[in-house]
């Protein structure tokens, strides 16, 4: 196989990003965090004082969105215009507003095309992760995986990821409420036909990586 494309979806706190990076390293592929695209666009909208209650205003911002995103699994690079936003897009204020941006259909079309272009441009292939990669962005990927975990486990993992700085109510908003809102746009809680399901509720990090790699190898070897 000259080029390998792996699509990984899952809800908030499922470990998609860390696991996807590890899978990309294992197969010597590039990596694309599509969720970071939506976060970066949200940052851009807020910086431009875009009215997030106006789909038309958000679309206008998306059409001139100056994003430069790296695809190395070892080094995160997310630059909007001249500003490095890799840390800023993880702030609670972005998390609280990203669904307003991501739920606009035309905005999704614009970013999905950017994602498809990035996948097509990867010479060896790519691991792309997000919420609609297996069904919308790359339904013809060589391997497709839905990575999930119980709500309790996902909230605990997100809390650790944020360094214990978030209250339980904040975590509830970031994980459960955001998933509920985003699930109105796409289904990332149930595996579509042909998509392997990996539930990491009872798995540690290394076991989860191994399970996803096994799921990928099973699909590409069939």
């Amino acid at each position: 196989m000259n080029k390998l494309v792996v699509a990984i979806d899952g809800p908030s706190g499922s470990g998609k990003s860390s696991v996807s990076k590890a899978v990309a390293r294992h197969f010597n592929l590039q990596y694309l965090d599509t969720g970071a695209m939506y976060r970066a666009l949200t940052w851009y909208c807020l910086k431009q004082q875009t009215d997030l209650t106006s789909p038309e205003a958000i679309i206008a911002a998306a059409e001139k969105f100056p994003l430069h995103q790296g695809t190395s699994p070892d080094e995160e690079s997310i630059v909007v215009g001249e500003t490095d936003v890799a840390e800023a897009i993880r702030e609670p204020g972005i998390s609280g507003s990203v669904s307003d941006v991501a739920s606009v259909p035309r905005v999704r079309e614009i970013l999905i095309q950017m994602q498809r272009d990035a996948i097509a441009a990867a010479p060896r292939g790519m691991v792309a992760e997000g919420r609609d990669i297996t069904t919308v962005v790359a339904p013809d990927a060589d391997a497709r995986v839905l990575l999930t975990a119980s709500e309790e486990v996902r909230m605990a993992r997100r809390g650790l990821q944020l360094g214990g700085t978030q209250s339980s109510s904040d975590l509830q908003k970031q994980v459960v409420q955001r998933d509920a809102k985003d699930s109105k746009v796409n289904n990332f809680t149930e595996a579509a036909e042909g998509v392997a399901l990996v539930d990491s509720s009872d798995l540690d990090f290394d076991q989860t990586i191994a399970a996803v790699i096994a799921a990928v190898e099973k699909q590409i070897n069939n």
Side-chain angles (χ1 to χ4, degrees):
M1 184 175 292
N2 294 325
K3 184 170 180 175
L4 174 63
V5 176
V6 178
I8 299 179
D9 282 334
S12 300
S14 60
K16 296 189 304 295
S17 296
S18 298
V19 171
S20 295
K21 289 175 184 177
V23 173
R25 294 186 195 104
H26 176 83
F27 289 105
N28 193 28
L29 304 175
Q30 291 173 268
Y31 161 76
L32 183 65
D33 178 352
T34 66
M37 283 187 171
Y38 289 98
R39 286 176 171 272
L41 177 55
T42 303
W43 179 91
Y44 179 67
C45 286
L46 293 173
K47 191 72 172 179
Q48 298 292 314
Q49 297 184 324
T50 302
D51 181 1
L52 297 188
T53 67
S54 168
E56 293 78 11
I58 299 172
I59 292 167
E63 289 175 339
K64 58 181 181 180
F65 180 37
L67 175 69
H68 303 279
Q69 183 172 0
T71 56
S72 168
D74 298 315
E75 183 179 2
E76 185 175 45
S77 175
I78 305 171
V79 177
V80 177
E82 302 293 329
T83 306
D84 181 341
V85 299
E87 292 187 10
I89 63 173
R90 308 298 176 184
E91 295 294 329
I94 301 297
S95 299
S97 300
V98 67
S99 291
D100 295 328
V101 172
S103 62
V104 179
R106 175 57 186 153
V107 169
R108 298 194 69 82
E109 290 176 1
I110 293 169
L111 266 62
I112 285 169
Q113 189 57 55
M114 292 171 63
Q115 294 156 17
R116 288 174 175 164
D117 290 345
I119 293 171
R124 295 185 305 275
M126 178 173 281
V127 175
E129 57 99 344
R131 292 176 180 269
D132 56 2
I133 313 305
T134 64
T135 56
V136 178
V137 178
D140 297 325
D142 302 292
R144 298 182 295 157
V145 177
L146 176 65
L147 178 62
T148 190
S150 70
E151 180 180 306
E152 294 77 14
V153 168
R154 292 188 291 112
M155 286 181 62
R157 288 174 179 169
R158 180 52 59 89
L160 288 173
Q161 182 184 25
L162 296 172
T165 60
Q166 304 293 296
S167 67
S168 58
S169 61
D170 287 337
L171 291 172
Q172 183 84 9
K173 290 178 182 177
Q174 288 193 29
V175 175
V176 182
Q177 293 182 23
R178 183 184 163 201
D179 283 349
K181 189 172 184 178
D182 288 355
S183 65
K184 296 176 182 178
V185 180
N186 49 55
N187 186 0
F188 49 85
T189 59
E190 297 178 1
E193 183 177 357
V195 177
L197 176 65
V198 175
D199 188 330
S200 67
S201 299
D202 299 319
L203 304 178
D204 64 22
F205 182 60
D206 289 337
Q207 290 171 331
T208 302
I209 294 169
V212 173
I213 289 173
V216 171
E217 291 180 334
K218 182 177 180 180
Q219 291 181 68
I220 64 178
N221 291 325
N222 281 347

